[in-house]
Amino acid sequence: MNEVLLEWIGYIASLIVLISLLMSSIKKLRWINLFGALIFGIYGFMIHSLPTGLMNIGIVGIDMYFLARIYFSKEYFTILEIDDESKYLKSFIEFYDTDLNSFFSTGNIEPDKSEIKLYVLRNMTPAGVFICDKFDENTLEIRLDYAIPQYRDFKIGTYVFETKKDFFTSKGFTKFVAHGETVKHIKYLLKMGFVQTTINDQKVYLKELK
């Protein structure tokens, strides 16, 4: 094979591995790293460098092992109600402020006045915050539905809106309404089963708990 082409395959594989290390999501990191290591492994065998080929095939195996754990291991989720005196909530919002503002306008959040405030724990680690105001008698308006970057794989959203829907219906709430503030947020809402509608001449996203 042309030596220049071989060299470019090596560059591309190296770049993919490098990009994988920039991922905040563990799942994305593993998938991209696996792809890069696979190309790098093939490249190693093509240039007759067994150490390079074998090491990267080994990395592929390691990535596959951890991806299998991510997809098939049973995780423990629970919710923990936030009291009005919580100092941790303020610290949490301040710590993730830059990332939060890529999804929500944190200036619109007033935890002290919110109807429902929850930490979402994943394997007993605070992985997300869910804050709602009362929109009407049976509807909650989502002010903050945030998962920290390493847990942003839709599992927390599925847990809140599906597994724990009885928590909300037991309080008399059967609907959620949300304002899609960014493209990323809108994609997430659609993934979670929200539908676009108009309420009081405003475009919003609505989800009914069935």
Side-chain angles (χ1 to χ4, degrees), residues 7-21:
E7 192 172 337
W8 273 105
I9 291 173
Y11 288 144
I12 292 169
S14 300
L15 180 61
I16 293 172
V17 171
L18 179 63
I19 290 172
S20 75
L21 300 178

Side-chain angles (χ1 to χ4, degrees), residues 94-131:
E94 288 177 352
F95 184 83
Y96 290 105
D97 182 66
T98 301
D99 190 48
L100 271 165
N101 277 287
S102 68
F103 295 92
F104 299 90
S105 298
T106 54
N108 295 331
I109 302 169
E110 298 183 78
D112 293 344
K113 300 178 182 178
S114 297
E115 184 75 19
I116 289 176
K117 303 186 291 289
L118 304 170
Y119 294 121
V120 183
L121 307 184
R122 187 169 176 172
N123 298 329
M124 294 311 294
T125 298
V129 171
F130 190 78
I131 298 176

Side-chain angles (χ1 to χ4, degrees), residues 69-86:
R69 287 187 58 181
I70 290 171
Y71 283 105
F72 299 112
S73 294
K74 185 174 178 59
E75 295 182 279
Y76 176 77
F77 288 89
T78 190
I79 54 176
L80 181 66
E81 293 192 69
I82 303 171
D83 60 49
D84 291 334
E85 305 301 320
S86 176

Side-chain angles (χ1 to χ4, degrees), residues 57 91 124 197:
I57 294 304
S91 297
M124 294 311 294
T197 187

Side-chain angles (χ1 to χ4, degrees), residues 170-207:
S170 69
K171 295 179 181 292
F173 298 107
T174 58
K175 300 176 184 177
F176 287 108
V177 65
H179 300 275
E181 299 185 36
T182 65
V183 172
K184 287 190 289 186
H185 187 206
I186 292 171
K187 286 182 179 179
Y188 166 77
L189 291 172
L190 296 175
K191 180 82 173 181
M192 291 296 105
F194 284 73
V195 294
Q196 184 179 320
T197 187
T198 302
I199 300 177
N200 299 330
D201 296 324
Q202 285 190 341
K203 184 176 75 172
V204 298
Y205 294 83
L206 181 72
K207 180 177 177 66

Side-chain angles (χ1 to χ4, degrees), residues 13-79:
S14 300
L15 180 61
I16 293 172
V17 171
L18 179 63
I19 290 172
S20 75
L21 300 178
L22 300 175
M23 297 296 105
S24 56
S25 166
I26 299 298
K27 187 165 69 171
K28 287 182 180 179
L29 186 153
R30 290 292 179 187
W31 272 115
I32 297 173
N33 188 263
L34 184 154
F35 184 59
L38 180 62
I39 296 176
F40 221 138
I42 293 171
Y43 167 75
F45 290 124
M46 291 174 72
I47 64 171
H48 307 292
S49 174
L50 281 178
T52 301
L54 293 174
M55 181 187 72
N56 281 281
I57 294 304
I59 292 172
V60 169
I62 292 169
D63 285 331
M64 290 177 65
Y65 168 77
F66 282 103
L67 282 168
R69 287 187 58 181
I70 290 171
Y71 283 105
F72 299 112
S73 294
K74 185 174 178 59
E75 295 182 279
Y76 176 77
F77 288 89
T78 190
I79 54 176

